[in-house]
Amino acid sequence: MFNLLSVALGLLAWWALAQSGLSGLPGPMEVLRRGAQLLADGTLVHDIRASLQRVLLGFVIGTALAIPVGFLMGWYGWVRGLIEPYIQFFRTVPPLAIIPIAIVFMGIGEVPKVFVISLAAFLSSVISTFQGVITVDKVLINAARVLGANDFVVFRRVVIPASTPFILVGMRIGLGSSWATLVASELIAAQEGLGQRMQQAQVYYDLPTIFVGLVLIGVLGLCMDRILLWAEKRLTTWQERR
């Protein structure tokens, strides 16, 4: 109820700003018409598919690497000592700054685009997973060992379930980072994609097309985030909530 009210108020505010003539800001109906035109000629379908493929592939690769690395860092001190300095170093370097290096070593195909998105997802997820492992209650671990559980059982039955909320939060942050990096990654000689369409429209000061891409990126990102939120609720039913 309140979500729908919030959307309605946002659209109303947007319409009011457009009517005031603020720097040529297009109104909701103008953006909707432009979106319908791009959809009718097939451009929007190709752009959405291309961007979704890049984001999903980059996000899956990044999180698939981040989760085991985060577990190893949290469980073994020597692994943490070897890897953590590099993780912290690259966290301070924006993934966008890696684009020139990616182009030099990987060319201008799909690989560098997916790599930059994967890096953004990885750096966002690995710290949350690591934090989840090191904050597991030591009483639970010791209790499991007293009952005869070996390290593998402790890890599978105690550490992984207790870390799941942190992992899923990290995945949600990684998903946001993936979408945030998409537009910049499509600077790498992309022929299609929402980010590429927005950059092309910028050259011609085509604000309605820019807003179509902006709204679609937000909507797609929100839908994917809601899927992760649903998964979080299903996987952490044991967790006390307010």
Side-chain angles (χ1 to χ4, degrees):
M1 177 63 182
F2 287 106
N3 287 340
L4 293 175
L5 178 62
S6 175
V7 171
L9 290 174
L11 289 173
L12 182 62
W14 180 8
W15 176 83
L17 287 173
Q19 291 298 309
S20 69
L22 179 64
S23 299
L25 178 70
M29 292 307 299
E30 186 179 355
V31 172
L32 184 62
R33 284 193 296 270
R34 181 57 179 154
Q37 292 171 359
L38 293 172
L39 187 63
D41 63 18
T43 301
L44 205 54
V45 175
H46 291 297
D47 287 340
I48 291 173
R49 183 174 64 242
S51 292
L52 273 176
Q53 286 176 347
R54 289 166 186 149
V55 168
L56 285 174
L57 186 57
F59 172 69
V60 169
I61 293 173
T63 53
L65 292 174
I67 292 172
V69 170
F71 274 129
L72 290 173
M73 287 174 58
W75 194 248
Y76 298 107
W78 62 272
V79 176
R80 183 191 315 171
L82 288 174
I83 298 178
E84 189 175 20
Y86 295 99
I87 298 293
Q88 298 299 338
F89 172 81
F90 282 105
R91 284 183 67 232
T92 61
V93 178
L96 308 186
I98 306 296
I99 288 178
I101 299 176
I103 293 174
V104 170
F105 287 99
M106 302 178 187
I108 57 174
E110 288 297 307
V111 175
K113 300 178 183 62
V114 174
F115 170 76
V116 172
I117 294 172
S118 299
L119 181 62
F122 173 83
L123 294 173
S124 299
S125 300
V126 68
I127 296 299
S128 293
T129 304
F130 162 68
Q131 194 66 31
V133 174
I134 64 173
T135 54
V136 175
D137 193 341
K138 297 297 187 293
V139 173
L140 298 176
I141 296 175
N142 293 333
R145 284 177 171 158
V146 166
L147 293 173
N150 57 31
D151 279 354
F152 176 75
V153 174
V154 170
F155 194 75
R156 182 171 62 88
R157 300 294 297 273
V158 178
V159 176
I160 291 179
S163 304
T164 299
F166 289 86
I167 295 171
L168 290 168
V169 168
M171 290 176 67
R172 293 179 66 191
I173 297 171
L175 179 62
S177 299
S178 299
W179 278 107
T181 311
L182 171 70
V183 175
S185 72
E186 290 182 341
L187 281 169
I188 308 174
Q191 299 300 314
E192 56 184 0
L194 294 172
Q196 186 271 342
R197 193 65 52 197
M198 293 170 66
Q199 293 164 31
Q200 189 180 59
Q202 178 189 3
V203 175
Y204 301 101
Y205 203 68
D206 185 0
L207 285 176
T209 299
I210 294 174
F211 271 80
V212 168
L214 185 66
V215 170
L216 280 174
I217 288 174
V219 169
L220 291 171
L222 180 62
C223 291
M224 293 173 68
D225 180 76
R226 286 295 178 263
I227 293 172
L228 285 178
L229 189 60
W230 173 83
E232 180 184 358
K233 290 179 180 178
R234 293 293 299 271
L235 294 173
T236 60
T237 53
W238 50 269
Q239 190 177 26
E240 185 177 351
R241 301 178 187 276
R242 289 189 293 175

